[in-house]
Amino acid sequence: MEQKLITVVAAALGVDPELLKLDSAAGEIEAWDSVAQINIVSEVEEEFGVSIPIEKIAELHTIRDFLLYLGAK
Amino acid sequence: MKCALLSNSNIESLSRRVDTRHEMFIGEGYGSWIQELANPTSAMWRFGPAAVVLLLDGTELLHGYEGAKEDTLFAAVDEQITWIERAAELAPAVKFFVSNIDVPPLSVRSMKQVSIERRLEAYWYDRLVALGARVPNMYVMDVKGLIEGRGREQFYSKKRWYLGGMKYSVVAEKTLAKEITRTLDAIAGTGRKKCLLVDLDNTLWGGVIGEDGLEGIQLSETGEGARYRDFQRRIRQLKDLGVILAIVSKNNYTDVQEVFDNHADMVLKKDDFASLKINWSTKPQNIAEVAQDLDIGSDSFVFIDDNPVDREAVRSAMPEVTVPDFPADTTLLPAFLDQIYQDYFFALESTEEDRKRTETYLQNAKRAAERHAAWSVEEFLTALKTKITVRKVMDEDLPRAAQLTQKTNQFNLTTRRYTEQDLQGFRRSADSAVYIASVSDKFGDNGKTFLAILKKAPPDTAEVDTFLMSCRVMGRFIEDQILDHLVRELRQQNVAKLRLHFFPTKKNMPARAMLDRLKGKIVSQEENGNTTWEYDLTQGSPVTQPAYAELMPR
C-alpha cells in the first residue's frame, strides 16, 4: 500500500516517485501547493476507493498522514 | 503556443494538465474574465495570447440571478456575448474558443413549469453560434458535449468545489485538458495526417467478399450490418473534411467492383477514393505505391485493417505509418472512427480546397494519363490551358495560406511554418507582402496552391522569405511564371536586387530545380546546405523558362 500511495501522490504532483519519502510534506516539495493537495486527495480517493471527509483533509500533511488515514479506515 | 484560459471557476489545476508545449495564462479571480477580455491593458492582453479559451460554468454564470425572470437572464447573456464579440473583433488574429454551457437544475419545479436551465443553455448556444458565424476567429467549444459523454455525476466534483473553487473532477480536467491541447495543436496545424488507408473485408463490411459473395457480406441500413454502414458514413464525413481516402486490400478487383456497382448499402463510392490498391501484393508494397501515386509522404498515412498480421507487417516495414489497433468488438467501429478523427485528423475548420481534395487527386490522375499519351511536354502543358490568378492575400485567404505553409514539403524553398496570426503580421507590415495564387486548368480548379512572402531589405533589395507551391500543380513551370510576374512588380517599385534562399530538407529537392533555371549567382552557402542566390533586377528578369499558362493579376 505504501508504494502504491507514493506512486499515486507522485502522479498527482507530476514528480518522480523516487523523490518522495513517507515524510514528504506539503510545503517541502515545490509542486505540493494547495491546488496539488486537492488533486492528491482526489487521486487517493479514486485509486483507493475511499471518500475522505472534508473535515479530515486539513489534517493530512504528509504521505504518512494519508497512509495512517487509509490504514485506520 | 501562447494560450489564455479564462473561466468563472478555478482552473489552475486544469491549466497544469494542458500539454507543456503550450504556454498558459490563467485569469485571476473567478469573476474577472470579462475584465480580462474587455480591458486592452489587462494582464491577459499583455501576455499576448495567440488563443483565448473561455471555459464558462453555467451555474456560476447564473450567480446573483437567483429567481430572476427569463428576460433578465437573456439580457445578461446578451451582454456577456457582446463582451466576447468586442474582444474577438479587437484582436482578429487571436482565436477565441468559447464553451457552450451546462446548467444543472437549480430549483424544484412542477412538470408544467418551463426549465429555465434548458432555455438558458439553448439561448447561450444560439447566441454563440450566431457570433461564430459573424466573427471568423471565434469558435464554439463543445464542453456540454463532453459533460454529456461522461455524465454530470462524473464530470463535476462537489468536494473540489468546496475545497478549492474547482468545478471539475480529475477525470473531467484530464478530458478538458486533452480537448484544449488538441485545439491548440490544431492552430499550429503541424501534426495533422493527410490520408486514411482502409482495408475492405471485415473493415468496410462484415465478412469476405471473395467467399461470402455480394449477398453474404454484412452491410445494411438496419440490423447487424448497420455498424459497417455507420462506419462508412463517418469515413465519408472525414473525406468532406479534406482527408484523402485510399483502399489497400487483398482481393480480386472484379469482386470489389461488383460491391461498388451493385451493393445498395455501400455509402462510399469508388470515386471517394483517390487510389485503389486491390490486388494480392503485400500491404507495405501497396502502401508505398499509394504514396507514390498521390505524392504524399507515408508519414501522413493512417492505416485501418482488422487483420493483426497485416497491421504488424505495416508497423515493422513502415514505422512512419500510423496504425491504430482495430476494435475487437465491431459495434465500436463508429466510435473508433470518431477517435481517429480526434487523434489524427482534427480540424478547426474546413476550406473549400479540403472538400474538393479527392476530386483534385482524381483529376491529377487523369492529367497524368493524358501526359502519357505520347505528347511532348510543351504540347501537353499548352493543352492543359492552365490559368493562374495572383493577388495579395486577403482575410479570407488566411486559413488556407497558413495551411499551405504548414503542409507543403516538396516545393518549398525555406519550409517556414506560419500560423494565421504570423501571416496577418506580414500582411499588415509595410515591409512585407504576402501573395497567393490559384491555379485552374481544363480538368478543374486546383484552388489556392501557391504562396510567396516577400520582405523589403533596405536600401533596394527584396528578400523572398517563403516561396512554395502545392505538389498538385508541380511540373508546369508555374513557379517561374509567378516569379517573373513578381519581379515585374518589384521592378516597377525600383527594387534593384532580389534574394532567394534555399534551405534543403529531406523532401524539398523539387524546389531546387527552379533555382537552377534562373539567371543569378550564389552569394552565400553554409555547411548545412543553406544557400542564397542574388539576382540583379536592373538587368531584367532572371526567369528564362518559357511560360505555358495564362497569368491574371488581380
Side-chain angles (χ1 to χ4, degrees):
Chain A
M1 177 141 82
E2 187 180 320
Q3 201 42 53
K4 184 180 172 190
L5 181 63
I6 288 181
T7 313
V8 170
V9 172
L13 292 174
V15 300
D16 186 346
E18 300 285 314
L19 295 175
L20 298 178
K21 290 185 281 297
L22 264 189
D23 290 312
S24 293
E28 177 195 316
I29 307 277
E30 204 197 332
W32 195 335
D33 57 11
S34 60
V35 169
Q37 170 78 359
I38 297 171
N39 283 341
I40 293 171
V41 169
S42 300
E43 297 277 10
V44 168
E45 286 186 333
E46 175 75 24
E47 292 296 323
F48 292 89
V50 296
S51 175
I52 307 177
I54 203 161
E55 293 80 3
K56 273 271 167 224
I57 292 168
E59 298 166 15
L60 304 171
H61 303 293
T62 63
I63 296 180
R64 191 184 300 279
D65 292 340
F66 278 94
L67 190 64
L68 290 173
Y69 173 80
L70 289 171
K73 284 267 318 164
Chain B
M1 172 143 321
K2 279 183 149 191
C3 170
L5 181 58
L6 299 181
S7 176
N8 53 359
S9 70
N10 181 353
I11 33 78
E12 165 112 39
S13 169
L14 164 62
S15 76
R16 292 181 192 177
R17 298 184 197 273
V18 175
D19 194 287
T20 51
R21 279 196 301 280
H22 305 294
E23 189 187 342
M24 304 298 289
F25 168 90
I26 53 172
E28 277 172 47
Y30 305 168
S32 67
W33 65 272
I34 291 185
Q35 218 190 308
E36 294 282 7
L37 275 184
N39 180 354
T41 61
S42 68
M44 181 196 84
W45 288 118
R46 289 202 307 273
F47 167 75
V52 174
V53 176
L54 190 51
L55 185 63
L56 293 173
D57 177 77
T59 310
E60 292 316 299
L61 218 50
L62 284 179
H63 197 75
Y65 288 98
E66 291 82 359
K69 289 266 183 301
E70 194 175 277
D71 291 352
T72 316
L73 291 171
F74 283 6
V77 169
D78 288 342
E79 194 194 323
Q80 283 160 340
I81 297 280
T82 307
W83 286 116
I84 298 171
E85 179 165 12
R86 271 188 213 171
E89 280 175 346
L90 274 175
V94 176
K95 301 231 180 247
F96 286 74
F97 302 92
V98 186
S99 71
N100 49 4
I101 56 170
D102 175 56
V103 191
L106 298 168
S107 53
V108 290
R109 63 166 195 280
S110 76
M111 226 167 167
K112 265 285 184 196
Q113 275 177 313
V114 169
S115 162
I116 187 75
E117 296 85 1
R118 287 276 178 247
R119 297 269 297 160
L120 204 62
E121 286 173 350
Y123 189 69
W124 178 267
Y125 184 68
D126 286 350
R127 293 301 313 267
L128 275 194
V129 170
L131 181 58
R134 279 201 303 281
V135 184
N137 53 323
M138 183 272 179
Y139 304 79
V140 181
M141 196 174 235
D142 188 14
V143 172
K144 171 91 175 148
L146 297 177
I147 297 173
E148 283 166 354
R150 288 250 168 220
R152 285 175 181 150
E153 194 89 359
Q154 276 193 52
F155 211 86
Y156 294 115
S157 163
K158 276 286 172 212
K159 188 171 283 172
R160 292 166 70 80
W161 170 244
Y162 290 126
L163 276 173
M166 291 137 82
K167 277 277 163 180
Y168 310 113
S169 68
V170 169
V171 64
E173 283 187 353
K174 286 178 182 165
T175 306
L176 286 166
K178 206 172 158 193
E179 183 77 10
I180 294 169
T181 302
R182 176 162 39 232
T183 305
L184 298 178
D185 286 346
I187 302 176
T190 38
R192 199 180 184 222
K193 304 290 178 191
K194 291 179 181 167
C195 178
L196 183 73
L197 306 167
V198 291
D199 173 46
L200 295 174
D201 292 328
N202 285 315
T203 301
L204 288 196
W205 54 70
V208 176
I209 184 66
E211 288 168 18
D212 303 324
L214 191 63
E215 305 298 318
I217 56 172
Q218 284 187 10
L219 179 64
S220 50
E221 181 63 46
T222 55
E224 285 177 42
R227 63 196 196 279
Y228 290 102
R229 194 174 157 90
D230 291 344
F231 186 50
Q232 289 199 17
R233 281 210 176 100
R234 278 176 157 76
I235 293 178
R236 218 199 123 90
Q237 289 159 5
L238 268 196
K239 182 203 156 214
D240 290 338
L241 287 173
V243 176
I244 303 290
L245 305 180
I247 291 175
V248 178
S249 165
K250 285 181 191 159
N251 252 313
N252 289 321
Y253 193 88
T254 47
D255 291 343
V256 175
Q257 182 69 48
E258 201 191 350
V259 181
F260 276 126
D261 288 347
N262 298 323
H263 203 297
D265 289 308
M266 272 300 279
V267 176
L268 292 163
K269 308 293 175 205
K270 210 170 146 184
D271 274 356
D272 289 325
F273 298 93
S275 176
L276 304 166
K277 296 292 160 201
I278 301 163
N279 53 46
W280 297 94
S281 308
T282 67
K283 302 265 168 161
Q285 205 174 329
N286 273 329
I287 293 175
E289 279 183 31
V290 174
Q292 227 168 35
D293 288 357
L294 302 180
D295 217 348
I296 297 177
S298 45
D299 55 351
S300 294
F301 285 165
V302 176
F303 173 63
I304 299 184
D305 195 317
D306 66 296
N307 184 335
V309 178
D310 283 338
R311 289 202 302 270
E312 204 39 54
V314 172
R315 279 195 194 116
S316 61
M318 314 176 91
E320 73 281 9
V321 175
T322 301
V323 186
D325 284 331
F326 195 80
D329 176 356
T330 48
T331 50
L332 296 175
L333 276 176
F336 172 58
L337 203 88
D338 289 346
Q339 197 58 47
I340 286 185
Y341 166 67
Q342 301 281 352
D343 290 347
Y344 308 116
F345 298 108
F346 182 75
L348 293 184
E349 52 205 309
S350 52
T351 59
E352 191 57 28
E353 279 79 6
D354 288 332
R355 279 182 286 278
K356 290 192 186 154
R357 184 156 299 139
T358 301
E359 262 173 62
T360 314
Y361 277 91
L362 288 172
Q363 289 162 3
N364 268 353
K366 285 190 198 139
R367 283 185 199 101
E370 191 136 322
R371 184 165 11 195
H372 287 150
W375 288 27
S376 76
V377 175
E378 288 76 15
E379 278 173 315
F380 166 72
L381 290 175
T382 311
L384 270 181
K385 297 198 188 317
T386 305
K387 290 190 172 65
I388 309 168
T389 314
V390 191
R391 58 178 166 80
K392 287 198 176 157
V393 291
M394 299 193 278
D395 270 338
E396 76 225 38
D397 301 320
L398 289 176
R400 174 60 180 161
Q403 195 184 43
L404 279 170
T405 71
Q406 288 158 10
K407 291 171 87 171
T408 309
N409 296 318
Q410 298 187 71
F411 194 97
N412 197 336
L413 289 184
T414 53
T415 320
R416 289 184 168 125
R417 312 296 193 190
Y418 291 122
T419 63
E420 284 177 47
Q421 196 177 13
D422 299 329
L423 294 173
Q424 186 69 273
F426 290 129
R427 190 186 154 216
R428 295 235 165 112
S429 159
D431 296 326
S432 53
V434 186
Y435 293 90
I436 197 160
S438 307
V439 177
S440 66
D441 58 44
K442 71 170 186 176
F443 294 105
D445 189 355
N446 289 285
K448 298 162 194 165
T449 38
F450 172 92
L451 192 84
I453 303 173
L454 303 186
K455 288 180 171 170
K456 271 188 207 158
D460 57 358
T461 302
E463 185 106 21
V464 179
D465 174 273
T466 294
F467 196 87
L468 65 82
M469 191 170 67
S470 159
C471 55
R472 299 178 206 168
V473 294
M474 265 164 45
R476 307 188 198 180
F477 306 109
I478 288 170
E479 59 276 28
D480 300 72
Q481 205 171 345
I482 295 177
L483 184 69
D484 193 46
H485 168 71
L486 297 179
V487 162
R488 202 167 309 144
E489 287 202 355
L490 291 172
R491 292 185 67 196
Q492 276 165 14
Q493 297 160 27
N494 295 320
V495 174
K497 267 186 234 154
L498 178 69
R499 214 173 287 147
L500 278 175
H501 306 282
F502 178 71
F503 303 158
T505 67
K506 266 195 227 158
K507 294 181 176 170
N508 74 345
M509 278 319 281
R512 169 74 205 242
M514 177 188 81
L515 295 162
D516 295 334
R517 291 195 293 272
L518 299 175
K519 238 179 13 205
K521 60 171 194 290
I522 292 175
V523 290
S524 82
Q525 188 155 23
E526 292 168 39
E527 249 172 49
N528 58 11
N530 288 358
T531 310
T532 302
W533 277 260
E534 210 168 76
Y535 305 94
D536 181 358
L537 301 188
T538 60
Q539 302 297 309
S541 172
V543 177
T544 56
Q545 175 67 39
Y548 301 97
E550 184 186 345
L551 187 141
M552 293 165 289
R554 225 181 18 212

